[in-house]
Amino acid sequence: MGIATTTAVSLVGLDGHMVQVQAHLSATVPGFTVVGLPDAALSESRDRVRAAVTSTGLTWPVRKITVNLSPAGLRKRGSGYDLAVAVSVLAGAGEIPAGQVDRVVHIGELGLDGRVHPVRGVLPAVAAAVEAGFERVVVAAADAEEARLVPGASVVGVASLAEAVVLHGGDDKLVRGVEPVRKEPAGTSRRSAGDLSDVVGQSDARRALEIAAAGGHHLFLVGPPGAGKTMLASRLPGILPDLTDTEAVEVTAVHSVAGSFDPAGGLIRRPPYEDPHHTATAAAVIGGGSGIPRPGAVTRAHRGVLFLDEAAEFRPSVLETLRQPLERGELTVHRSGGSVRYPARFQMVLAANPCPCGQAIGKGLRCTCTPMMRRRYLGRLSGPLLDRVDLQVDVLPVDPAERAAGPGESTAVVAQRVLAARQAARDRLWGTGWTTNAEIPGAWLRERVEPGGKIDQIVTTALSSGLLSLRGVDRVLRVAWTLADLHGKSSPGPDEVNEAVALRGGPRA
């Protein structure tokens, strides 16, 4: 009888759980059983492991083999356990010296030829292993570069099961030249977003874009076709500052699980940008899939920008799913196979025409839509959703004078002001756990408003007139703090609050 144990990692969302892979071999009727709540892909590992072992040149043990995945109450999914299962079985059969693999984490899928294939989510899995006290990690050769991004991990990449056996003291005659499995290119290459100086005119919209970047606020742009809404939105990531070390690890882990991370460039340091098409389903936007859901666009946009072009064309059911992540900065998705929690602290930018024909601007003399058509069109964006958007501005057609004035400020110039404002907010919020004005809770904001003062009178008047809701008051105060940071002030005054109220009422005013 032989018993051997090694370790694997189970990912539930971005949270990694250590799993003991225990192999028990007994001299009874031959068989191979995997227990411990495996899914279909993991149950099929029996055939992959057996074929990989024989292809490696080893003799498959003719015994009753039981592999237990502990804790047994945690459901395990995916093919990333294959390497750990194979190593534990071979250790139990004596092909690997006993005790060599107890404190080693193995992550990888096996092919029938014995080669080790890469899997998704290696970075958060290795990070969880290091946090749990495991330093040695064996992964597929194609995943080694990504795994080494985790500080404190001693990573070895293996191209085949034979290399893993030799690594742990097995027969070195097994190793032969094997072409490592290559990792599929992550995502698609995105063309350069361009410079903010490409935008002609639109001083008000550019101002709103800068404020949004400085405070992490959501933005709604309404205007006719060709006014520059999409161009403005695509320039937003360029004026955002680089991610901090903590944020870079968060974002990289998300994209590792989503399968859209290229480890060749190291940790993701620039804010991500997601722009799903208006025909996207709710599962594509917030996450979905059978069993445990995969990250959607809102999670891939974590610490970056989620741009919804032609927002009024999105299904209302899709737009309403955004309310939870907009309010909480995270997303909980429930499916039949379980529930997962993903981070989703992003900046949302909505862009829409004012009506189906897009000409209901100013007096709307060129508009061919009926009043009912206009009302229904923007009515798809519900009041509760828009109440969570801090900045709502009209993007009017560029007049000849603006066009003749030439290009405006470049991305680099605006980015410097945004960086200075963000740093002012970080210094003020040091030790609170918040990093941008958009994250500040309402209680903190209201404590700093003098009862009966000018600022209190402004927001009370707006609240009494119905221009603002209670949530809207908090959001106006957040924008006012951002304006103060941009103006170099220690706190907002009546001018900043009035401007914040004006910026919030644009398209609806």
Side-chain angles (χ1 to χ4, degrees):
M1 182 177 69
I3 298 178
T5 301
T6 189
T7 309
V9 182
S10 173
L11 277 181
V12 181
L14 296 184
D15 299 326
H17 303 270
M18 307 311 298
V19 174
Q20 278 194 332
V21 182
Q22 305 165 328
H24 177 272
L25 285 74
S26 59
T28 58
V29 178
F32 190 4
T33 305
V34 178
V35 297
L37 289 183
D39 69 346
L42 182 49
S43 296
E44 292 170 354
S45 68
R46 296 172 299 180
D47 299 316
R48 290 193 299 271
V49 168
R50 183 186 292 110
V53 168
T54 55
S55 297
T56 300
L58 295 168
T59 301
W60 180 256
V62 186
R63 305 187 205 175
K64 171 62 177 176
I65 302 172
T66 302
V67 174
N68 178 47
L69 307 175
S70 177
L74 176 68
R75 186 169 293 279
K76 291 83 177 178
R77 296 176 172 82
S79 56
Y81 299 85
D82 288 1
L83 183 58
V85 170
V87 167
S88 64
V89 169
L90 292 175
E95 298 289 351
I96 297 175
Q100 288 288 321
V101 296
D102 291 0
R103 297 292 299 172
V104 182
V105 175
H106 295 84
I107 305 170
E109 175 186 330
L110 290 176
L112 301 184
D113 57 356
R115 293 195 297 171
V116 184
H117 293 245
V119 295
R120 289 183 175 183
V122 166
L123 188 142
V126 174
V130 171
E131 187 176 355
F134 293 84
E135 295 181 359
R136 296 190 64 196
V137 182
V138 180
V139 299
D143 280 333
E145 191 172 10
E146 178 179 341
R148 292 190 180 106
L149 294 174
V150 180
S154 176
V155 177
V156 178
V158 294
S160 65
L161 176 59
E163 291 186 17
V165 172
V166 173
L167 174 68
H168 297 308
D171 187 357
D172 57 7
K173 296 179 181 179
L174 294 171
V175 175
R176 57 184 185 276
V178 174
E179 179 70 21
V181 178
R182 297 185 182 276
K183 201 167 188 176
E184 292 295 325
T188 56
S189 59
R190 187 184 298 277
R191 64 179 179 83
S192 174
D195 197 275
L196 194 57
S197 61
D198 299 334
V199 180
V200 177
Q202 302 299 359
S203 57
D204 291 343
R206 289 171 61 102
R207 169 74 169 162
L209 197 73
E210 181 177 340
I211 297 168
H217 305 292
H218 307 305
L219 176 64
F220 181 26
L221 303 172
V222 177
K229 303 184 297 295
T230 302
M231 182 178 286
L232 282 162
S234 66
R235 268 62 176 174
L236 178 56
I239 63 177
L240 293 174
D242 289 342
L243 302 175
T244 64
D245 291 343
T246 302
E247 293 169 346
V249 171
E250 289 178 4
V251 171
T252 304
V254 166
H255 287 263
S256 174
V257 172
S260 56
F261 171 57
D262 183 2
L267 292 175
I268 298 174
R269 293 288 181 179
R270 292 298 302 156
Y273 178 76
E274 292 288 330
D275 53 348
H277 193 260
H278 64 261
T279 58
T281 63
V285 173
I286 67 167
S290 59
I292 291 294
R294 293 288 184 186
V298 297
T299 299
R300 296 195 303 272
H302 179 59
R303 300 294 180 185
V305 177
L306 176 69
F307 176 46
L308 303 183
D309 200 5
E310 304 296 343
E313 299 291 347
F314 278 80
R315 300 175 188 173
S317 59
V318 174
L319 294 173
E320 293 308 303
T321 61
L322 299 175
R323 286 159 61 174
Q324 181 197 32
L326 286 175
E327 198 70 30
R328 298 173 54 188
E330 64 179 16
L331 180 70
T332 304
V333 184
H334 297 271
R335 292 292 185 271
S336 59
S339 62
V340 296
R341 181 170 295 174
Y342 287 122
R345 189 167 294 283
F346 56 88
Q347 281 186 255
M348 182 178 68
V349 180
L350 303 173
N353 296 327
C355 65
C357 77
Q359 301 301 324
I361 287 292
K363 295 183 179 180
L365 299 179
R366 297 175 58 189
C367 179
T368 59
C369 305
T370 65
M372 184 60 69
M373 291 171 63
R374 297 182 192 177
R375 187 175 302 167
R376 284 178 177 172
Y377 189 71
L378 283 184
R380 298 178 185 179
L381 304 174
S382 69
L385 177 64
L386 291 181
D387 200 40
R388 290 168 167 83
V389 180
D390 307 330
L391 308 171
Q392 305 180 26
V393 297
D394 286 319
V395 183
L396 302 176
V398 178
D399 60 40
E402 287 182 313
R403 185 172 180 273
E409 292 179 316
S410 67
T411 292
V413 172
V414 178
Q416 286 299 317
R417 292 200 298 266
V418 169
L419 181 61
R422 286 260 182 144
Q423 188 58 51
R426 285 182 184 274
D427 293 342
R428 183 176 61 252
L429 300 173
W430 179 260
T432 64
W434 316 312
T435 56
T436 62
N437 291 321
E439 301 174 38
I440 300 175
W444 188 95
L445 296 163
R446 291 188 291 272
E447 286 176 359
R448 284 151 181 80
V449 175
E450 179 186 355
K454 290 185 177 180
I455 293 178
D456 187 44
Q457 292 174 11
I458 294 170
V459 296
T460 300
T461 301
L463 185 62
S464 301
S465 64
L467 183 60
L468 295 179
S469 65
L470 286 174
R471 181 192 290 117
V473 169
D474 291 344
R475 292 189 174 274
V476 161
L477 293 176
R478 293 185 183 115
V479 174
W481 276 98
T482 300
L483 290 169
D485 292 335
L486 287 169
H487 296 159
K489 296 183 178 181
S490 59
S491 61
D495 291 341
E496 284 76 25
V497 176
N498 275 321
E499 185 177 356
V501 172
L503 285 168
R504 185 174 174 80
R508 295 184 296 170

